[in-house]
Amino acid sequence: MELSILLMEQIAKLFLMIFMGYAVVKLGLLTDEDSKVLSTLVLYLIVPSVILNAFQVDYTQEKVNGLKLAGIASLLLLIILLLIVNLIGKLLNLNEVEIMSIYYSNSGNLIVPIVTFMLGEKWVFYTCVFMGLQTIFFWTHCKNVLSHEKGFNPKKIFSNINIITIIIAITLFFAKIRLPEIITGTLDSVGAMIGPASMFVTGMLIGGMELKKILTDKRTYFISFMRLITIPLIALLILKISGLKGWNKDGEQILLIVFMAVISPVASTVTQMCQVYDNDSRYASAINVLTTIGAIVTMPLMVFMYQIII
């Protein structure tokens, strides 16, 4: 229960950051369009810094075993949930922004600071496993859907800074290479901006919208329910049936981190990609805000259910 309360407090802080972004637009200091620069910084600079720095830890067999468990659990959930969400999208005739919002969770911007605060910095290593795998999905599946590009261009995928960063980070870890402190310290400082910067973008976009319209749109509530209740319950069932908990002495803790990555609000990256590729970023942002508000209640509830069931 204590974990649930700590989780609620952290999500509430991030929601206040959204309000700050909203305020600067409403006060006329910036416009919602100004957030596009911040979105670009988050996607191409801040997220890579977080990923690279997270893998700068001492190589041990314990960490390798934990990495394998987190990787298997993350990949299992990402693949099965993608199939389920696509099926739901076809059955309910959902548009591309709605499908991406239901599927992609805020596994980095939200979970990294929460895990650091709740469990300690040594556990952030495992958060980056799901985040790293989801980043590959972002820059292949999500990018293609939201940008309306057809087919996959391997050159574009593997020349993307986020994919390159994942490859470099994993290589350095297994090669037992540690970067100089001045570099890791810089990466840590830049990466620390991931929560505030992402929340500011969301708030600024909301500042350019009619708040009343957001709060009275029944369809937005439905998509938020799918993201915060339906998907987490399916993920919980998958983890329970999988039996992965017994694969590692820290299995329950590692799977909890993976589970928290899945049950979080809509990924801010969906809003940012909609903005970069001129899709419906305002609608994506509205869903982001509602899920962030709702997550103050649903995430602690889901963590409590996890502790009882798994």
Side-chain angles (χ1 to χ4, degrees):
M1 193 65 181
E2 183 181 351
L3 279 179
S4 297
I5 295 172
L6 289 173
L7 188 56
M8 192 180 297
E9 290 176 353
Q10 286 301 105
I11 297 171
K13 290 177 183 177
L14 292 173
F15 177 69
L16 289 175
M17 293 176 194
I18 290 178
F19 177 75
M20 291 178 183
Y22 173 82
V24 296
V25 172
K26 284 302 181 183
L27 291 173
L29 301 175
L30 294 170
T31 68
D32 57 331
E33 291 296 324
D34 293 328
S35 64
K36 190 167 186 175
V37 174
L38 201 51
S39 290
T40 303
L41 287 174
V42 171
L43 289 176
Y44 294 100
L45 184 62
I46 299 176
V47 171
S49 295
V50 171
I51 294 172
L52 186 57
N53 203 45
F55 279 85
Q56 284 292 291
V57 294
D58 293 330
Y59 178 98
T60 64
Q61 191 57 47
E62 180 184 356
K63 283 191 173 67
V64 172
N65 292 338
L67 187 69
K68 290 178 181 177
L69 175 59
I72 291 170
S74 299
L75 203 54
L76 180 68
L77 290 174
L78 283 167
I79 293 173
I80 294 178
L81 290 175
L82 179 59
L83 295 174
I84 292 173
V85 171
N86 279 337
L87 178 61
I88 292 173
K90 289 179 181 179
L91 292 174
L92 301 180
N93 196 30
L94 304 179
N95 65 40
E96 57 204 25
V97 173
E98 292 168 337
I99 293 173
M100 296 303 100
S101 295
I102 292 173
Y103 179 63
Y104 286 102
S105 60
N106 201 339
S107 63
N109 305 353
L110 183 63
I111 300 305
V112 169
I114 285 176
V115 170
T116 302
F117 180 76
M118 290 171 53
L119 304 176
E121 288 188 2
K122 73 172 186 175
W123 295 98
V124 174
F125 174 74
Y126 299 112
T127 70
C128 287
V129 177
F130 186 95
M131 183 171 64
L133 288 170
Q134 187 174 245
T135 298
I136 295 173
F137 278 67
F138 271 134
W139 291 98
T140 52
H141 171 251
C142 186
K143 177 179 177 292
N144 273 33
V145 172
L146 295 177
S147 65
H148 300 135
E149 293 179 359
K150 294 183 179 180
F152 293 102
N153 186 330
K155 185 177 180 181
K156 283 187 177 181
I157 294 171
F158 290 102
S159 63
N160 179 274
I161 184 64
N162 291 276
I163 305 299
I164 292 172
T165 301
I166 292 170
I167 295 172
I168 292 174
I170 293 174
T171 301
L172 291 176
F173 172 72
F174 280 102
K176 303 178 184 178
I177 298 173
R178 298 295 296 270
L179 297 172
E181 195 282 329
I182 190 170
I183 294 178
T184 56
T186 301
L187 292 174
D188 184 56
S189 297
V190 174
M193 296 189 290
I194 189 170
S198 298
M199 296 304 104
F200 291 159
V201 169
T202 300
M204 289 172 71
L205 286 170
I206 291 299
M209 302 172 63
E210 293 181 33
L211 198 55
K212 183 179 178 181
K213 185 177 180 180
I214 297 173
L215 298 176
T216 55
D217 187 346
K218 293 181 181 179
R219 192 171 179 87
T220 306
Y221 280 96
F222 172 72
I223 301 301
S224 299
F225 178 86
M226 296 293 291
R227 169 68 259 162
L228 297 175
I229 302 295
T230 305
I231 295 302
L233 290 177
I234 294 172
L236 186 59
L237 179 62
I238 294 170
L239 290 178
K240 179 63 177 178
I241 294 173
S242 71
L244 289 172
K245 175 185 172 183
W247 286 25
N248 189 291
K249 67 181 182 68
D250 293 321
E252 185 174 350
Q253 202 84 316
I254 293 171
L255 291 184
L256 173 61
I257 292 171
V258 173
F259 183 62
M260 283 199 296
V262 174
I263 67 175
S264 59
V266 176
S268 298
T269 307
V270 172
T271 299
Q272 292 153 6
M273 279 196 173
C274 283
Q275 193 172 29
V276 170
Y277 295 109
D278 296 318
N279 210 308
D280 195 352
S281 61
R282 285 186 170 83
Y283 184 36
S285 187
I287 299 171
N288 190 310
V289 168
L290 279 183
T291 54
T292 301
I293 296 171
I296 297 174
V297 176
T298 62
M299 283 189 72
L301 175 62
M302 291 300 166
V303 168
F304 182 65
M305 290 181 65
Y306 173 91
Q307 292 175 312
I308 294 173
I309 295 173
I310 298 298

